[in-house]
């Protein structure tokens, strides 16, 4: 498996159907074996069920902090999407490579693996760390135990580069996210006697309406940060279910909502405001009809935003690698906020476009893949010991 090209490696990686609901162990084992064949040892961090794993590997000296190249191995499902190619088989057509994960973000991982021989070619003065995680697509879950281990180590990495698709444009920031579920327990009765029941759907609607009001307040101009698009924190309800029949007052309703928060905004303010509204305004009226009615909020996932200083070492390195100091932000989230919170300054730059991510016929262009190969070659040159 030595000296495989990024395209050849991408073909192998796409062949592993690492949808978040499934295991990624076959892909991790492939990467571990590939690195071992090149003489690079890997550490494996399993989930509690040992059905998924993170991989961490270091190339170069172990007595100093280095540069982390980070990517997630999971992809979103293809269910219900109208693909014209086999999603888990790489298909080349018109200077594009199609397949689930080509852009988000196995293209970057393939380039990183293809660059390993270059990192090994001459001794590195500063080490390169490879960090490949699971379950990013469902709330950046997998990277957390790996980061907890890195925080214990004497020589913490100096910089992390997250290879999410930015068309190789340098990115220093993104929003954070809080995803929550609200469960409303009402009281059922025949719809002919609706006032004697507690309509869970109607109370859920009141809560969703309050979320809309909170979102409107967050969009006020004085709260804007023009580095982001949209330039304010947002709130939206994405899933709702409840009720059994039209002639039954519904006793259950639940909905999921999310906050996409500017860096520095405490997402807890939204859930606290909703909980206060439920306790003060809704539950007294509900319990006046039925004492055991309730409204419960449950956190589903969360990760922090990212706002790396343009004057930082991380930003200067990114400018060198990308060839540009025109730093931007992205609307989507990454594991970058978690690395940054662990004391590892983080930037984002990778091949492909998120416009293609999560869609049928996802693709990356050959130019983008080649551009990432060139960026990592520059990193190898930068980190090498003087000859």
């Amino acid at each position: 498996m030595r000296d495989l090209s990024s395209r050849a490696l991408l073909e192998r990686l796409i062949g592993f159907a690492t949808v978040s609901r499934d295991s990624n162990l076959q892909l991790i084992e492939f990467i571990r074996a590939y690195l071992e064949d090149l003489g690079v040892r890997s550490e494996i961090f399993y989930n509690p069920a040992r059905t998924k794993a993170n991989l961490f590997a270091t190339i170069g000296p172990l007595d100093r902090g280095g540069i982390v190249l980070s990517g997630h191995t999971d992809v979103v499902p293809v269910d219900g999407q109208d693909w014209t190619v086999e999603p888990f088989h790489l298909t080349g057509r018109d200077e594009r490579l199609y397949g689930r994960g080509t852009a988000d973000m196995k293209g970057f991982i393939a380039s990183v693996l293809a660059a390993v021989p270059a990192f090994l070619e001459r001794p590195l003065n500063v080490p390169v760390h490879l960090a490949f995680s699971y379950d990013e697509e469902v709330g950046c879950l997998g990277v957390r135990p790996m980061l907890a281990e890195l925080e214990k180590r004497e020589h913490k990495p100096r910089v992390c580069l997250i290879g999410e698709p930015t068309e190789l444009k340098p990115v220093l920031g993104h929003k954070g996210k809080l995803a929550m579920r609200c469960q409303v327990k009402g009281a059922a009765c025949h719809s002919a006697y609706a006032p004697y029941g507690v309509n869970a759907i109607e109370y859920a609607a009141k809560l969703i309406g309050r979320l809309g009001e909170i979102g409107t307040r967050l969009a006020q101009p004085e709260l804007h940060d023009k580095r982001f698009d949209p330039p304010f924190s947002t709130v939206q309800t994405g899933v709702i279910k409840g009720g059994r029949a039209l002639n039954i007052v519904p006793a259950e309703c639940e909905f999921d909502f999310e906050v996409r928060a500017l860096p520095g905004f405490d997402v807890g303010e939204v859930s606290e405001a909703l909980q206060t509204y439920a306790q003060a305004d809704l539950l007294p009226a509900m319990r006046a009809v039925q004492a055991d009615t309730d409204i419960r909020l449950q956190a589903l996932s969360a990760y922090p935003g990212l706002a790396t200083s343009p004057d930082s070492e991380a930003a200067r390195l990114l400018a060198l690698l990308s060839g540009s100091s025109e730093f931007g932000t992205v609307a989507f989230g990454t594991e970058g906020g978690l690395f940054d919170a662990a004391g590892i300054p983080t930037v984002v730059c990778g091949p492909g476009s998120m416009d293609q991510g999560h869609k049928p016929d996802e693709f990356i262009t050959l130019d983008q893949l080649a551009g990432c190969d060139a960026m990592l070659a520059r990193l190898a040159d930068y980190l090498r010991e003087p000859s």
Side-chain angles (χ1 to χ4, degrees), residues 189-338:
C189 70
H190 194 292
S191 62
Y193 302 97
Y196 303 129
V198 177
N199 191 311
I201 290 177
E202 292 180 0
Y203 277 97
K206 294 177 189 290
L207 291 159
I208 292 170
R210 179 54 60 98
L211 285 173
E213 294 171 7
I214 294 170
T216 298
R217 291 200 296 271
L218 293 177
Q220 295 301 307
E222 61 268 23
L223 300 177
H224 285 197
D225 185 334
K226 294 181 180 178
R227 295 175 299 171
F228 293 86
D229 180 23
F232 48 85
S233 300
T234 60
V235 184
Q236 74 102 23
T237 301
V239 178
I240 185 169
K241 58 184 178 181
R244 298 180 181 276
L246 185 58
N247 61 354
I248 302 174
V249 170
E252 304 93 13
C253 185
E254 69 176 35
F255 62 90
D256 297 347
F257 67 93
E258 68 170 20
V259 185
R260 297 278 180 166
L262 293 172
F265 175 69
D266 181 3
V267 292
E269 291 183 19
V270 175
S271 57
E272 289 169 10
L274 194 66
Q275 186 69 65
T276 298
Y277 172 61
Q279 292 287 341
D281 293 64
L282 302 186
L283 283 171
M286 294 168 63
R287 288 172 176 170
V289 178
Q290 180 76 30
D292 65 349
T293 54
D294 203 3
I295 296 171
R296 297 188 182 94
L297 293 176
Q298 173 192 357
L300 300 176
S301 65
Y303 55 76
L306 177 68
T308 300
S309 169
D311 298 321
S312 64
E313 177 193 8
R316 291 192 295 272
L317 176 61
L318 181 58
L320 175 68
L321 298 181
S322 67
S324 173
S325 58
E326 295 295 319
F327 301 122
T329 65
V330 288
F332 57 85
T334 78
E335 297 170 338
L338 293 168

Side-chain angles (χ1 to χ4, degrees), residues 14 19 91 96 108 114 133 208 215 246 308 352 354:
I14 295 301
V19 176
T91 300
R96 296 175 175 178
F108 176 74
S133 61
I208 292 170
L246 185 58
T308 300
M354 194 57 86

